[in-house]
Amino acid sequence: DSNVSIKLTDKAADELKTIMEKEVASENLTTDAALRLMVVGGGCSGFTYKMGFDENIKDEDRTVDLKGVKVVVDDKSHLYLDGVEVDFHDGLMGRGFVFNNPNASGTCGCGEAFSV
């Protein structure tokens, strides 16, 4: 679906592919699995990003291929994820995925919660 403008950095895409390959190899996931990005209420700024692998893709989900990673977003989360870039940090502060949202008016230091 071309109207989902989410970006993955190369680093995030590589990391996600590595994780997925390991999960499929250990039979925790099938090759049908996609990365689900969603926004849920809560967190220090009102909303929190969640991501995880999901094999249950619904008809109303929007699916987009980002650098070889199948990403799915539900309709409600899509409103908040428009323009978001997912990056992967591997440094002294730990390893993890970070969401960069140009639309967020207030973000907290953890890079996971935001308000619009």
Side-chain angles (χ1 to χ4, degrees):
D1 198 325
S2 57
N3 59 2
V4 183
S5 63
I6 297 169
K7 300 182 190 76
L8 282 185
T9 63
D10 291 342
K11 214 167 171 184
D14 290 346
E15 186 68 19
L16 286 164
K17 281 187 244 183
T18 303
I19 295 169
M20 281 186 101
E21 282 161 16
K22 284 181 186 159
E23 292 294 301
V24 169
S26 55
E27 297 183 356
N28 294 332
L29 289 176
T30 68
T31 50
D32 294 337
L35 177 73
R36 180 175 293 282
L37 297 180
M38 57 193 150
V39 174
V40 293
C44 40
S45 300
F47 295 101
T48 308
Y49 295 108
K50 293 264 186 255
M51 62 191 288
F53 295 113
D54 193 350
E55 296 171 355
N56 304 310
I57 316 303
K58 300 172 193 69
D59 289 341
E60 63 269 22
D61 284 330
R62 297 162 187 242
T63 307
V64 60
D65 186 289
L66 301 175
K67 300 182 180 176
V69 178
K70 187 163 71 170
V71 177
V72 292
V73 180
D74 66 81
D75 249 2
K76 200 172 108 201
S77 295
H78 167 256
L79 299 169
Y80 298 105
L81 286 163
D82 200 35
V84 162
E85 179 187 70
V86 181
D87 195 4
F88 181 76
H89 285 222
D90 188 357
L92 294 172
M93 301 298 287
R95 291 165 56 88
F97 292 96
V98 183
F99 292 82
N100 301 317
N101 187 342
N103 310 314
S105 56
T107 53
C108 64
C110 62
E112 287 176 0
F114 70 102
S115 59
V116 282

